[in-house]
Structures are given as structure tokens and as C-alpha cells.
Amino acid sequence: LDCCGIGIRAAMHRVARVWSPSQASWAQLARIRIFLRQPATATATQRVPREFAVPEVDAFAKDALFGESQIISTKFLGQSVLASPLHPTFGVRIDGCRLAELMHDPPALATTLRQLLQSQKMVVFSGQSELEPEAHVALCKLLGGSAGLDDTFSSNHAAGLSEEEGGHWPGDGGGGGLALRPTANAYEALPPAVWPISNQPDRGTVNAGDGGFHCDGAWFGDHFRYMSFLCRSQLSHGGGHTFFASSEALLRALGPEERHFLAGVLVEYTDRMVYPGGNSINPSGGRPTVIPLVSESGTGADRQLAISAFLDPKYWRRVYLCDAARESSPEARRRLFAQPFWRQIVGDDSAGRRGGESAEAMSAGAVQELAWAEGADILEGINVRLGPEGIGRPDSAHKSLTLSMQWREGDLGFYCNRTLLHRASASTQRRESHGEPELRLMHRISIKGGGTPPFYMAPPPRHGHVHAE
């Protein structure tokens, strides 16, 4: 296969560095300071241009995670705080904020959080250990507004658990041995929207999110607007970090031919998720979905292309190419997924699939199914370029685009799920003992929101339904 004279592998093997770390640090600081000091009613378009701002640097600190990190003193809704950039391309850490005290003015807090996330994509508030799960939920409800929170993962925690299996999953999905499974005890004392993720099965779901970079909810077509993590307990002997990367920055680093090619890639997903050693979740009701690899995120002047797929091969069924999908506006995508040929292509039960017809034949040439190795190479190529396994390769973007987030106990993080990809490091599951076994425990909350990128969901038996929000 060839894309504008460039082979698929070549197209995906040319990720370039797009930021100068020293310049990006100062630009990021300017944005942080200008944003945090503006009134809560200001809009994104009212921000002072960052080139007119000179940050007041109070201290310089060397940090093994962020490299050279400048710290500034500023205000957050009247509270004196210290702010520092998490990464040259996104994110801010805020120290000294007492969030619980700010909940007396919900509209101002919600507006400021949304504006900060629009500007920075990710914000981490340090020192929030005293925030109870109910208060964490209340904060997320403020941020999400009328869209509400998701309880898909926590409400499905018991699916498939079996006493006769001895509390173990027969295999870890990667050819390994037995993997521990979670117990219901981990969920009983928590609000429904809180999903505990841990390295210990009696405290939460294990092996979550470590199969590939992703935006949560993508594989079943419910791309959550925001995500929140509250670090309840962290490993003290290293490890336990999460990788974050801006898919917008990754796509900007590619040439126009590569972006054009990727916009035509569609991924068909399995009808349920099974964490090796974790939950068995079936939020789509047994209906496979087709998700674009790349979708438009944001509105108006802030609209950009972002990766909207779940890059974990455990959940891929098929990978397609479709020229019509390269018109990436939500309106064009809705028209595409309303086409009747998807009922023949998706899944295994249609007359066309049973008759051995190709996707190209069933769609009259509109959709081409890639050979599994070629499709997987495209998707897995993104994982390799953003992940640590790609370090040392000339096309690796791990050091320039990926944040290796080492959580601290009490960290409360919010991030834009539709613009930032994330993936758990293998070290989140470390269970070896340094004296007493250590606990890593994160409380995750998924925050819904309008503007979910259009996708196709196979209809239930005898009832046609296309979800193209």
C-alpha cells in the first residue's frame, strides 16, 4: 500500500521533535501566569498573548522527571500558589491550593478549571490527600456540569469473577502466567463513579490501561470529556508512573501527507473489554464499534485533529481505510457512519461476512480492509514512538512529546481526555517487596461531555441504531 508516494510504515516512521525545551518552558510559564491571574469570567480568547508576558521566576529547581523546571508564585482564585509546567507541550502542577475551601463558590471553581484545562490540557493539584471520595466526586460533577459522570467501570467490577478459579485469571493476555483478579471489597465503600486502580487486587482493578496509549472510552464510542485521578497511595521505591502525550502535538509533527493518510484509518473494536486479571466490561451491549483513528477535537478556532482511538491490540478486530473519512468534520463523519454498508462490514454475522465478501465489495469500493499485520503496524507504530520502548530509534518522540508522570500521594489530576493520550507503565503493577509490600492506589473518575467524535456502533439484533452524536 502507498500513500501519496509514501509507504505506510514510512509515513508513520517520521515523527519529528516540534518544541525546543528551553523556549517551551518559558512560553508555558507565561501562559500559566497570565491564565491563573485572570478573573474566572474571562474566556480563552481574552488571554493576554503569551509573547507579551514575562514570568516572575521565584526559584529554579532541578527535577529528574521534568528536567529544568521553573516555579512561579501566582494566585488561584485568591489563594497564593506555586505553579510549574509539567511538560514543554502541556500541563501545569499547582502547589499550595486548598481545593476544599474553594468549593463554596462552585461556578467560579468550575469555570476556572475548564478554562485552565482548555489552556493547559492537564492540571495537577498537589497535597489533596484529605479530599474524601465524595468530595472528589463533587468536584468532578462541577467540572462536568449537566453531562454527568460515568459509572461503567465500577458498576461492572464483579463481572466474570469466579471462586472456583481461585481469584485468578487464566492467563494475562500476553502469554504469561496467572494474573491476580480484583475482589468486590475494593469497591464496596466507594461512590459508584469512583473506579479504584491498584497493584493489589483487594484494593482495585489491576493491569488497567497498560496495553497501549488511548483516550478513555474510545473503544466503545463514549470519549469522556475529562478524566480525573486522585493518587491515594504511591510506590516509594520508584515506578508507578503514567505516560501522557499530546496527540495534537504528535499530529502537528507529521507532514500533511501523513496526516491525510491517518485521517482515513478506522478501527473496528471488540464488543467487550477484559482486563487480564481485571474487570470484564461490556458497555456496548455486545455490539462492536468502528472508531476513527483521528478526529476533530474542540470547536471554532480551538478545533484541532487528535487521536481518538484506543491503541491497545487486545481490542482491535479489524483496521480499515476509507477516503470519505478524510473529510474529518463531525458533519461529514456522521454522514459516513449513516451509510447502510456498515451493517454488512462490521462484525461477523452479516450475509456478506458469512459469504466471504470483502469490505471493499460490501461497500462498493468505499472501504478497504487492511491486512492485519499492516493495520497493526500503523496503530502499534504510534505506541512505539510515544512509549519508552522506542527510545534510541531515530523516529522516537518519547523524550520530546511524552510526560512520564510520577504521581505523588495526594496528587489530584484533571486532564482533557480527547486531546491527551495516556498509558500506564508496567511499573504500576510492581508487587515485589521492599520489606512490606507497597500499595499503589489511584481513584479514577470519568467525566462525560458533549461533542463525542462520531462513530459507528453495530445495531442490536432486529433493531437498527447508529450512534453519531
Side-chain angles (χ1 to χ4, degrees):
L1 289 170
D2 200 77
C3 168
C4 301
I6 301 172
I8 289 177
R9 291 178 178 83
M12 293 305 299
H13 283 214
R14 298 199 325 184
V15 178
R17 188 185 182 95
V18 293
W19 285 73
S20 163
S22 59
Q23 293 174 354
S25 298
W26 285 97
Q28 184 90 345
L29 280 167
R31 283 196 298 155
I32 292 168
R33 179 171 178 267
I34 288 298
F35 179 81
L36 291 178
R37 288 190 172 174
Q38 67 180 343
T41 55
T43 66
T45 56
Q46 293 173 318
R47 289 199 301 273
V48 177
R50 63 189 185 195
E51 58 266 28
F52 299 149
V54 179
E56 297 173 359
V57 179
D58 299 307
F60 293 87
K62 286 287 186 180
D63 186 291
L65 181 60
F66 305 126
E68 187 178 24
S69 174
Q70 294 82 25
I71 302 174
I72 59 173
S73 177
T74 185
K75 296 283 187 180
F76 184 83
L77 290 176
Q79 293 185 357
S80 296
V81 299
L82 296 177
S84 57
L86 286 172
H87 187 269
T89 59
F90 64 90
V92 56
R93 175 181 284 277
I94 297 177
D95 293 285
C97 180
R98 302 174 300 282
L99 277 174
E101 296 179 12
L102 298 176
M103 294 182 69
H104 69 279
D105 189 356
L109 180 56
T111 299
T112 302
L113 277 176
R114 291 189 197 108
Q115 292 176 348
L116 186 54
L117 285 168
Q118 183 175 356
S119 168
Q120 305 298 327
K121 308 305 180 187
M122 181 177 185
V123 57
V124 176
F125 295 93
S126 304
Q128 307 299 319
S129 294
E130 296 183 1
L131 206 66
E132 296 294 332
E134 291 76 13
H136 185 196
V137 169
L139 268 173
C140 291
K141 285 183 176 179
L142 280 180
L143 181 59
S146 60
L149 309 180
D150 181 80
D151 64 359
T152 299
F153 296 89
S154 56
S155 64
N156 281 269
H157 68 84
L161 294 180
S162 172
E163 290 295 330
E164 57 266 25
E165 290 180 357
H168 289 73
W169 183 260
D172 62 1
L178 295 179
L180 294 170
R181 303 189 71 183
T183 66
N185 296 335
Y187 304 82
E188 288 176 348
L190 295 173
V194 177
W195 185 30
I197 301 172
S198 183
N199 63 337
Q200 304 293 343
D202 61 334
R203 300 300 297 273
T205 296
V206 297
N207 298 319
D210 61 353
F213 281 91
H214 57 281
C215 51
D216 277 308
W219 68 277
F220 56 89
D222 192 356
H223 298 68
F224 305 127
R225 182 67 187 90
Y226 304 109
M227 301 297 298
S228 178
F229 284 98
L230 180 50
C231 180
R232 295 296 184 183
S233 182
Q234 180 60 294
L235 305 172
S236 62
H237 294 277
H241 49 280
T242 307
F243 299 121
F244 289 91
S246 168
S247 65
E248 293 175 340
L250 173 66
L251 292 171
R252 286 197 303 269
L254 300 174
E257 297 90 353
E258 291 93 338
R259 287 194 298 271
H260 178 78
F261 172 76
L262 293 180
V265 176
L266 306 171
V267 186
E268 181 180 336
Y269 287 86
T270 182
D271 55 3
R272 71 169 185 161
M273 172 184 287
V274 179
Y275 288 113
N279 302 31
S280 173
I281 307 170
N282 189 358
S284 67
R287 299 150 64 186
T289 53
V290 175
I291 311 294
L293 175 61
V294 174
S295 296
E296 290 188 2
S297 174
T299 57
D302 292 324
R303 180 173 288 184
Q304 299 184 67
L305 287 177
I307 292 175
S308 52
F310 200 105
L311 301 177
D312 187 335
K314 291 194 295 293
Y315 311 123
W316 306 337
R317 289 171 60 96
R318 301 178 178 100
V319 182
Y320 304 105
L321 283 180
C322 177
D323 282 338
R326 295 190 171 100
E327 189 178 347
S328 59
S329 70
E331 297 77 15
R333 290 280 177 82
R334 291 189 189 98
R335 291 195 298 270
L336 171 62
F337 290 128
Q339 296 299 315
F341 57 69
W342 291 110
R343 298 193 182 195
Q344 291 294 314
I345 294 175
V346 177
D348 300 312
D349 298 328
S350 72
R353 285 291 182 189
R354 291 196 303 270
E357 292 185 57
S358 68
E360 193 168 9
M362 288 184 282
S363 64
V367 178
Q368 177 186 0
E369 182 178 339
L370 294 180
W372 175 256
E374 290 175 318
D377 187 57
I378 295 170
L379 303 181
E380 191 59 36
I382 299 173
N383 284 325
V384 172
R385 283 149 189 78
L386 293 177
E389 59 270 30
I391 294 177
R393 295 170 50 134
D395 54 4
S396 174
H398 180 74
K399 292 182 179 180
S400 58
L401 295 183
T402 302
L403 165 66
S404 181
M405 178 66 189
Q406 181 71 55
W407 298 97
R408 309 169 188 170
E409 186 171 331
D411 277 351
L412 172 60
F414 298 93
Y415 66 91
C416 294
N417 181 54
R418 296 176 191 166
T419 57
L420 294 186
L421 299 172
H422 73 286
R423 164 186 159 192
S425 69
S427 66
T428 61
Q429 295 303 300
R430 199 195 66 210
R431 299 189 185 95
E432 66 268 22
S433 174
H434 295 269
E436 291 296 322
E438 285 195 292
L439 171 68
R440 182 187 187 270
L441 177 61
M442 305 289 289
H443 282 179
R444 190 192 99 163
I445 297 179
S446 306
I447 304 164
K448 296 182 177 182
T452 294
F455 63 95
Y456 177 83
M457 180 178 285
R462 300 180 184 177
H463 298 283
H465 174 66
V466 173
H467 187 125
E469 181 183 334

